[in-house]
Amino acid sequence: MNKLIIFECNKNNIEKCTHAIHETLQNLSWIELITRNTRKEFISDKVLPSEPGVVIHSGGSTGQGYQCFHTFQNLNQSALATGQWLQEQGIEPKACSYLNSLPINHVSGFMPWWRSQCWNSKHTWIKLSLMKDPIALENTFRDFFRKEHDPVLMSLVPTQLHRLIAHPAGIKWLQSFTLIWIGGAYLSTELAKKARNNNINLAPCYGTTETAAMVSVLKPDEFLSGRNDCGEPLKDVSLRVNKNSILEIKTSRLAIGRWRNGNLE
């Protein structure tokens, strides 16, 4: 029988958290990433799928929280699909440096780190407090960008972009990136316009916890030319809008289970 390891993540133990994930993979177990504020729900070892993986929490678009079961194979496939998209843009994933300020217990912060593991690329965690101080942020990474000649990537949510783009130091920092995936919430027309006016290489994307992050993404050059959407589906994804105007996603990396209100769906 598989065993579920519960690990409480916080801003001071990121390295311990990633080590715990690696141990889970080696021991063919499951790990659930939580925070101090996570609503605790008991998940019996009896319901765990046979393959090892990660339980990732989601707030859900309706505000009703749940946990998604993703095998390591699912996560690998998501990372490889994103890497293939990068190669189509002329960017070699292995050569990239990935900066990450998003929480590892959420799919938005977990997948950037996981991608770097799959691509064997460089990855650097950024403290959340630093993201709230554009001047300190720009000063901290000035030498990094001066010395870094490889592509530099990042994933942001609109709230972070809004805060950074309101300050000259934040704009300068954002302009240093080869590509910035932006998702997790609606990107307003006004914020998109500010990014274009400052020649920031945004790649608006759409994804869910159930799909192990992004399923569609817009190329930065198309964004800069004025296009306002989330681009085209990745190679392992099919998208369609049904007769009820609901987006349907087809991909082999869908979560293999979802735990909600004490039940496995």
Side-chain angles (χ1 to χ4, degrees), residues 97-102 112 126 131 137 152-156 160 164 173-174 177-182:
S97 287
Y98 211 141
L99 304 188
N100 187 2
S101 67
L102 297 169
I126 303 178
M131 292 295 293
L137 185 65
V152 184
L153 315 176
M154 191 170 194
S155 297
L156 291 178
Q160 293 174 310
L164 291 169
W173 190 75
L174 292 167
F177 285 85
T178 308
L179 183 149
I180 300 173
W181 284 298
I182 182 89

Side-chain angles (χ1 to χ4, degrees), residues 86-107:
L86 281 176
Q87 289 174 325
E88 292 170 354
Q89 316 314 310
I91 299 172
E92 180 54 47
K94 186 176 181 180
C96 293
S97 287
Y98 211 141
L99 304 188
N100 187 2
S101 67
L102 297 169
I104 194 170
N105 60 290
H106 190 275
V107 70

Side-chain angles (χ1 to χ4, degrees), residues 186-196 223 228:
Y186 173 67
L187 177 64
S188 70
T189 302
E190 180 183 358
L191 190 55
K193 183 178 180 180
K194 287 182 180 178
R196 285 192 191 95
F223 167 78
N228 285 315

Side-chain angles (χ1 to χ4, degrees), residues 42-228:
F42 173 73
I43 301 177
S44 171
D45 290 346
K46 295 180 180 179
V47 305
L48 294 175
S50 57
E51 297 179 64
V54 181
V55 179
I56 303 177
H57 285 248
S58 173
S61 58
T62 62
Q64 298 179 349
Y66 51 83
Q67 293 108 296
C68 288
F69 291 79
H70 274 294
T71 63
F72 289 118
Q73 183 178 349
N74 268 16
L75 302 172
N76 289 344
Q77 183 180 332
S78 176
L80 292 173
T82 307
Q84 184 179 9
W85 181 85
L86 281 176
Q87 289 174 325
E88 292 170 354
Q89 316 314 310
I91 299 172
E92 180 54 47
K94 186 176 181 180
C96 293
S97 287
Y98 211 141
L99 304 188
N100 187 2
S101 67
L102 297 169
I104 194 170
N105 60 290
H106 190 275
V107 70
S108 62
F110 179 88
M111 284 309 302
W113 172 75
W114 189 265
R115 290 173 195 137
S116 71
Q117 302 300 296
C118 292
W119 302 341
N120 196 27
S121 61
K122 291 176 283 187
H123 177 277
T124 302
W125 293 103
I126 303 178
K127 291 182 179 180
L128 186 60
S129 58
L130 197 58
M131 292 295 293
K132 297 178 180 180
D133 187 343
I135 294 177
L137 185 65
E138 200 273 324
N139 287 337
T140 299
F141 283 92
R142 184 174 296 141
D143 285 343
F144 170 86
F145 282 112
R146 185 180 296 132
K147 298 175 182 177
E148 185 58 72
H149 301 295
D150 291 328
V152 184
L153 315 176
M154 191 170 194
S155 297
L156 291 178
V157 295
T159 301
Q160 293 174 310
L161 177 63
H162 182 270
R163 183 184 296 117
L164 291 169
I165 211 168
H167 196 285
I171 292 173
K172 184 177 180 181
W173 190 75
L174 292 167
Q175 290 171 333
S176 303
F177 285 85
T178 308
L179 183 149
I180 300 173
W181 284 298
I182 182 89
Y186 173 67
L187 177 64
S188 70
T189 302
E190 180 183 358
L191 190 55
K193 183 178 180 180
K194 287 182 180 178
R196 285 192 191 95
N197 289 344
N198 287 285
N199 202 37
I200 296 169
N201 294 313
L202 292 189
C205 58
Y206 175 76
T208 68
T209 308
E210 288 90 338
T211 58
M214 75 174 79
V215 293
S216 68
V217 59
L218 182 65
K219 299 175 183 178
D221 58 342
E222 293 181 336
F223 167 78
L224 291 173
S225 69
R227 184 172 167 181
N228 285 315

Side-chain angles (χ1 to χ4, degrees), residues 5-14 17 31-41 55-58 67 102-107 128:
I5 299 166
I6 300 175
F7 192 92
E8 184 174 310
C9 308
N10 63 59
K11 61 183 179 181
N12 298 317
N13 73 346
I14 294 293
C17 184
I31 185 168
E32 180 181 6
L33 305 177
I34 66 171
T35 67
R36 184 176 58 182
N37 299 322
T38 300
R39 177 184 168 190
K40 310 291 191 303
E41 283 199 41
V55 179
I56 303 177
H57 285 248
S58 173
Q67 293 108 296
L102 297 169
I104 194 170
N105 60 290
H106 190 275
V107 70
L128 186 60

